[in-house]
Amino acid sequence: MGPFHHHLHSICKVPVLLISLSLLAKHETQAQRPPQNPIENVGVESCGECHEEMLESWEQSAHARSYETLAKTQAAKDIISILGISENDIMTKASCVRCHYTQEAFSGSPQTTAAVSCESCHGSGDKWIDHHNKKSLSRGERIARATNLGMNHPGDIHSTSKTCYECHVIDDEQLVNQAGHPAVSRGFELLSWYSGEANHNFLIQKAGRSTKSHTSQIQPIPSSRKRMLYLTGKLLHLSSTLKAMAFAQDAPVDSNGNFIKLKDGRYTFGVQHTIEVQRILRSMKEVQAKVKIPEYDRAIAITSALAFTTGQQAQFTKTAEEIETLTREFTKNNTGSNFAAIDAIVNQLNPRYSSSHPKVGVASTR
């Protein structure tokens, strides 16, 4: 079991930490996002007025199509059956909506209007969209004003990447153990997913001007940005997973140090996240063998020192918060230009598309 075996083996000697649902709902260090306020969402049509190409690209993605398809999948039907809710409930329950749907307010009432949409990733637009659209300002001024008011701008790799992990890493143990929801999206890797279906960069730099304009072709991700997405993703994935594990009540291993499985053969919430941490650390150590990154050194060290047992909420939370700080420092102080040594790793990752995406079966360029 790698560096955690000693800690995991002694799990049964550690008291279980009971965490109330009210604490889980209000805990400010939760891994997942809180539900968005429908009043603050302006809807995809508002974005599409200027970003038509991006809207059309999004409409082909699983993020958009799940509005019609999510509740009809077998996985969703199984969860619905266990929870005793209907298909329609999935589109209205806050625990589902916060990651799977977008709501707007009409006549004071919340209405689910889209699945994972523009504001799911870039933030609710009510406070910043007018500044984002104000053509009398320079592009830099518009970006600065909008980001100060809550926009997750693509130029900020930390904020835009973090939104991915707020939904692809689950912090609800009951939803995982009792209802069968996976603790993490299977095979999730930021760069691969970001450069596949989620890639809708139709902007090009105008020669000699600090502005950008639309083009009809999706633009390739620059090598330096790819490196930053990959490296930032590992730190954010680690931080998000540790935040989620702070809420684990069930012991991840039995008295013999073996991972515990549920009756249906699935690993428990704690085990799924523990395995994910091990996988992330292996990837980070592979990076460290090629290029030295101080933030990686620190993140690996403090994570490896953790006891992966129940009753460790404070330790997991503190470590996750420190790694979050390291991530901000890393993205602030680096551009990716000095990490060419990891291109052999990065270039192995193909853009990821869902099975129904139009690009599946079409050769993709990295």
Side-chain angles (χ1 to χ4, degrees):
M1 294 185 194
F4 306 135
H5 180 75
H6 173 73
H7 296 307
L8 290 171
H9 190 74
S10 60
I11 181 68
C12 291
K13 298 178 182 179
V14 180
V16 172
L17 177 66
L18 298 178
I19 304 171
S20 70
L21 290 177
S22 60
L23 175 62
L24 179 62
K26 298 178 181 179
H27 201 287
E28 59 186 21
T29 59
Q30 62 187 24
Q32 285 179 265
R33 73 178 66 196
Q36 290 182 312
N37 185 346
I39 295 174
E40 297 178 351
N41 285 335
V42 298
V44 295
E45 294 82 4
S46 296
C47 302
E49 289 177 4
C50 295
H51 299 297
E52 184 178 355
E53 301 92 341
M54 298 177 188
L55 180 62
E56 291 178 356
S57 176
W58 167 77
E59 288 173 340
Q60 298 178 22
S61 73
H63 277 166
R65 292 194 306 274
S66 62
Y67 183 84
E68 300 289 345
T69 63
L70 177 65
K72 296 178 173 59
T73 64
Q74 188 57 52
K77 290 178 180 179
D78 292 341
I79 292 174
I80 287 170
S81 176
I82 294 170
L83 295 179
I85 62 176
S86 68
E87 287 187 12
N88 290 335
D89 288 332
I90 289 182
M91 299 181 72
T92 57
K93 287 181 68 67
S95 57
C96 302
V97 169
R98 67 171 173 167
C99 281
H100 290 291
Y101 296 102
T102 305
Q103 290 187 326
E104 298 174 64
F106 295 98
S107 300
S109 298
Q111 300 290 327
T112 300
T113 56
V116 180
S117 68
C118 314
E119 290 168 288
S120 301
C121 301
H122 296 290
S124 298
D126 182 63
K127 294 180 180 179
W128 54 258
I129 193 167
D130 288 341
H131 296 274
H132 176 63
N133 292 339
K134 199 167 186 178
K135 302 303 181 183
S136 61
L137 300 174
S138 69
R139 184 169 185 268
E141 289 174 319
R142 287 187 283 121
I143 291 173
R145 290 193 184 188
T147 53
N148 286 337
L149 292 170
M151 180 188 186
N152 296 319
H153 189 272
D156 183 344
I157 286 183
H158 175 265
S159 67
T160 51
S161 300
K162 184 179 178 182
T163 61
C164 302
Y165 292 99
E166 288 175 342
C167 283
H168 286 287
V169 176
I170 305 300
D171 62 14
D172 190 334
E173 185 175 39
Q174 293 185 27
L175 184 64
V176 174
N177 286 356
Q178 297 180 18
H181 195 291
V184 62
S185 297
R186 181 176 298 176
F188 183 75
E189 199 293 314
L190 178 66
L191 175 58
S192 179
W193 292 40
Y194 187 98
S195 59
E197 267 180 275
N199 184 18
H200 49 241
N201 179 23
F202 288 89
L203 297 179
I204 55 173
Q205 189 76 35
K206 287 185 178 180
R209 299 177 61 186
S210 59
T211 57
K212 289 193 174 184
S213 61
H214 288 239
T215 179
S216 60
Q217 298 294 322
I218 292 180
Q219 297 301 292
I221 301 175
S223 295
S224 57
R225 183 173 175 83
K226 282 186 178 181
R227 298 165 194 153
M228 289 299 293
L229 285 167
Y230 182 82
L231 296 170
T232 303
K234 299 306 174 186
L235 289 168
L236 286 172
H237 201 166
L238 185 58
S239 173
S240 300
T241 304
L242 295 177
K243 284 182 185 178
M245 289 192 70
F247 298 106
Q249 298 181 43
D250 293 340
V253 297
D254 59 24
S255 58
N256 295 317
N258 299 314
F259 284 143
I260 294 176
K261 292 184 178 182
L262 300 167
K263 291 182 179 180
D264 61 3
R266 292 181 301 110
Y267 282 133
T268 63
F269 171 87
V271 171
Q272 290 183 50
H273 281 313
T274 298
I275 292 174
E276 201 66 16
V277 169
Q278 292 177 329
R279 186 178 71 83
I280 298 165
L281 288 184
R282 285 195 298 270
S283 297
M284 294 176 70
K285 290 175 181 178
E286 182 182 13
V287 167
Q288 288 296 74
K290 295 181 177 297
V291 60
K292 295 301 179 185
I293 302 174
E295 294 86 355
Y296 267 44
D297 281 334
R298 178 61 180 167
I300 292 170
I302 59 178
T303 302
S304 299
L306 287 170
F308 278 65
T309 63
T310 52
Q312 304 294 322
Q313 182 185 27
Q315 289 82 356
F316 276 112
T317 300
K318 180 180 178 181
T319 302
E321 289 175 343
E322 182 172 347
I323 295 173
E324 176 81 11
T325 299
L326 290 170
T327 309
R328 291 193 196 96
E329 293 174 354
F330 174 73
T331 56
K332 179 181 179 181
N333 298 327
N334 294 279
T335 63
S337 60
N338 54 330
F339 299 130
I342 71 163
D343 284 350
I345 298 173
V346 169
N347 291 335
Q348 292 177 5
L349 298 172
N350 289 313
R352 189 262 190 191
Y353 298 97
S354 63
S355 59
S356 58
H357 193 278
K359 286 197 174 182
V360 171
V362 178
S364 300
T365 58
R366 291 192 178 95

